[in-house]
Amino acid sequence: MIDPFGRRVTYLRVSVTDRCDLRCVYCMAEDMTFLPKSEVLTLEELDRLCGAFIGLGVEKIRLTGGEPLVRRNVMSLVESLGARLGAGGLRELTLTTNGTQLAKYAEGLARAGVRRINVSLDTLDAAAFKAATRWGDLEKVLDGIFAAKAAGLHVKINAVALKGVNEHEFDRLLAWCGEHGFDLCLIETMPMGEISQDRTDQFLPLSLVRARLRERWTLQETDYRTGGPARYFDVAETGTRLGFITPMTHNFCESCNRVRLTCTGTLYMCLGQDDAADLRAPLRDPSLGEEGLREAILAAIARKPKGHDFVIDRRRKAPAVARHMSVTGG
Ligand code: SAM
Ligand code: SF4
């Protein structure tokens, strides 16, 4: 699949549910209305759609959400996708999780062929964690992270940089990650969805964070890339990596290789644009068959836009896109 700008699309992110057991302040409003279950694709349908994408050249799938591990029976999807690894055409199956359910699922994930996972953790301070997630329990997440490590999964910690919440903690977070062999990736907040707070109060430019970290750590430039938006540095003192995702201060769209599928079968060709294609109708139309589904996917890829136009400022009150990050999963 090659888009109109010559970019090869090899990476599919799949939001398996819009629901979540946390309410991170930058991601969701406290009183979210979730999709009625009738609109959500079954796990079998999601597996079939993923199969069609793999047939068209997708090599990497990331399950996300909402919180992927709160979807009932999610392991059956992990296992069916895991069976597509290798000769099935899939090279990597991974997931992004908030970690609350990881203690229960880590071993099963490893057995199904998952090798690396991203866990979102913005702070190591229990009170700040509770405030950032509105009701999360830090201990539970830490138990999950160490269960993942014990199961042999490579863990990358993702932390959203939030002014006044974790801005003085990145030293500690980096040291902690180094101690346990986890890579760390810092993310700027993006203006997606109404969240019942002013985003300009949360926004912390990572250029500032990087400059502060450089006073204490030796950050060595590296050409390590995951095909994603992060720019990575090797941290000489820890032997782990530190990445920065800076959609607001640096545009990463030129090398974009991904599209995003929601749990209702809607395909977003860009995280920062509203255009989307409905794949549920062709998926459920028996008269179209596999060929009709492939054509619908290719027609969507042919509309992939050049890039996003994220802006956060006080004059522009509305979010850049109306949907929340939990619709597509980041
Ligand atoms: N629930 C899972 C989790 O938290 O990892 C997966 C879905 S979550 C939407 C995926 C990632 O998006 C998380 O790392 C989260 O911190 C990040 N995220 C959510 N809203 C964001 C926003 N407005 N700006 C930047 N990152 C955001
Ligand atoms: Fe849930 Fe992840 Fe959004 Fe937090 S960032 S509310 S854990 S979906």
Side-chain angles (χ1 to χ4, degrees), residues 176-193:
W176 180 81
C177 285
E179 198 181 309
H180 298 292
F182 307 147
D183 289 338
L184 172 65
C185 193
L186 303 180
I187 307 173
E188 279 175 353
T189 52
M190 300 171 223
M192 299 185 62

Side-chain angles (χ1 to χ4, degrees), residues 20 22-24 26-28 66-67 98 326:
C20 187
L22 301 180
R23 292 287 181 283
C24 302
Y26 45 80
C27 180
M28 294 193 180
E67 173 46 42
N98 64 22
S326 48

Side-chain angles (χ1 to χ4, degrees), residues 2-22:
I2 313 257
D3 81 355
F5 302 95
R7 296 169 298 191
R8 230 161 68 88
V9 178
T10 54
Y11 179 12
L12 177 69
R13 301 176 63 108
V14 183
S15 174
V16 300
T17 175
D18 65 329
R19 288 163 197 256
C20 187
D21 53 350
L22 301 180

